[in-house]
């Protein structure tokens, strides 16, 4: 019963993410874009965007709610995107080791580079590959390099609706690496959804 309540809360809080993922997954049926079409898609969405990051907040007892932080990103080229001041809170909410969690929360936000691949024009659709942000932190009496990993391809993707000029980027965090080794034990889930959205202009 508790598990069902948790699932219901997640689904209710992220229904817009699910709808956007349908659009991203539908892009699998799109043909490969030409160089000219990729350039057209890039020119449509290029530049600096500001908005919110929506993420799940774990409040215990199998209950969750959504929270938000201010976020911005720049689509730099037809193959690169930079997320500015990426927040660690979406990952920290589900870290099971308290020392690691607190150490990570003390880290300054950082810019995160992403690779993008345009797959649709109307709406503009693109896959996102996030370069795992890395943090050199101390916990458990030792220094470690910790990286936050994301799923790629259609699991992390963006969509831009031309008529409304609204952009949404759906990212899915999936793991933590410690000194280059995947550490499944550090996360209570391997499905951490985050939604970046820039409202209608």
């Amino acid at each position: 019963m508790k598990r069902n309540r948790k699932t219901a809360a997640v689904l209710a809080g992220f229904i817009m993410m699910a709808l956007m993922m349908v659009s991203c997954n539908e892009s699998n049926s799109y043909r490969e874009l030409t160089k000219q079409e990729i350039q057209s898609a890039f020119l449509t969405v290029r530049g600096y965007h500001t908005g919110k990051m929506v993420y799940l907040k774990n409040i215990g007892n199998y209950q969750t709610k959504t929270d938000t932080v201010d976020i911005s990103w720049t689509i730099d080229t037809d193959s690169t995107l930079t997320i500015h001041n990426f927040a660690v809170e979406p990952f920290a909410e589900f870290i099971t080791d308290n020392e690691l969690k607190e150490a990570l929360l003390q880290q300054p936000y950082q810019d995160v580079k992403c690779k993008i691949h345009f797959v649709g024009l109307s709406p503009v659709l693109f896959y996102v590959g996030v370069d795992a942000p890395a943090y050199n932190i101390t916990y458990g009496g030792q220094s470690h390099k910790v990286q936050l990993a994301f799923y790629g391809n259609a699991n992390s993707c963006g969509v831009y609706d031309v008529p409304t000029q609204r952009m949404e980027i759906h990212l899915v965090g999936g793991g933590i690496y410690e000194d280059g080794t995947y550490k499944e034990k550090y996360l209570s889930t391997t499905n951490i959804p985050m939604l970046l959205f820039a409202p209608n202009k």
Side-chain angles (χ1 to χ4, degrees):
M1 180 64 71
K2 288 181 178 179
R3 176 66 63 181
N4 290 339
R5 285 200 299 269
K6 180 179 181 181
T7 301
V10 172
L11 291 175
F14 279 83
I15 188 66
M16 60 180 174
M17 285 188 178
L19 292 173
M20 199 198 78
M21 280 304 296
V22 170
S23 296
C24 289
N25 287 330
E26 284 177 350
S27 67
N28 290 331
S29 63
Y30 281 51
R31 61 182 171 78
E32 188 71 17
L33 299 183
T34 66
K35 289 183 179 179
Q36 291 77 14
E37 288 171 328
I38 290 172
Q39 184 66 9
S40 176
F42 164 62
L43 292 175
T44 301
V45 299
R46 70 176 175 178
Y48 182 74
H49 304 268
T50 61
K52 297 285 186 180
M53 175 190 282
V54 184
Y55 65 94
L56 286 178
K57 186 173 181 63
N58 186 2
I59 56 176
N61 298 322
Y62 297 96
Q63 298 178 20
T64 56
K65 66 176 182 179
T66 57
D67 205 345
T68 62
V69 293
D70 292 330
I71 198 77
S72 63
W73 61 93
T74 303
I75 298 181
D76 309 285
T77 72
D78 63 11
S79 61
T80 59
L81 179 153
T82 302
I83 301 172
H84 303 293
N85 294 315
F86 178 80
V88 299
E89 281 82 353
F91 266 89
E93 287 292 337
F94 299 96
I95 292 177
T96 55
D97 183 285
N98 287 330
E99 282 193 77
L100 170 57
K101 177 178 181 176
E102 291 305 316
L104 187 62
L105 285 171
Q106 296 304 312
Q107 299 305 300
Y109 291 176
Q110 60 177 261
D111 288 357
V112 174
K113 296 291 185 180
C114 306
K115 298 176 181 64
I116 59 174
H117 177 67
F118 289 101
V119 293
L121 292 174
S122 184
V124 175
L125 295 170
F126 52 93
Y127 294 152
V128 180
V130 182
D131 291 347
Y135 306 86
N136 295 309
I137 55 181
T138 300
Y139 55 93
Q142 294 182 320
S143 297
H144 298 281
K145 179 181 179 180
V146 173
Q147 293 172 281
L148 308 180
F150 293 80
Y151 294 104
N153 294 324
N155 294 294
S156 293
C157 58
V159 60
Y160 178 78
D161 182 63
V162 177
T164 63
Q165 297 186 300
R166 179 183 175 91
M167 184 182 296
E168 296 181 358
I169 300 174
H170 182 235
L171 306 177
V172 183
I176 288 181
Y177 284 80
E178 179 186 79
D179 302 322
T181 301
Y182 176 64
K183 296 290 185 178
E184 185 175 3
K185 66 179 182 179
Y186 284 147
L187 286 175
S188 61
T189 179
T190 56
N191 182 12
I192 303 173
M194 297 162 233
L195 178 68
L196 283 62
F197 72 92
N200 302 10
K201 293 183 179 180

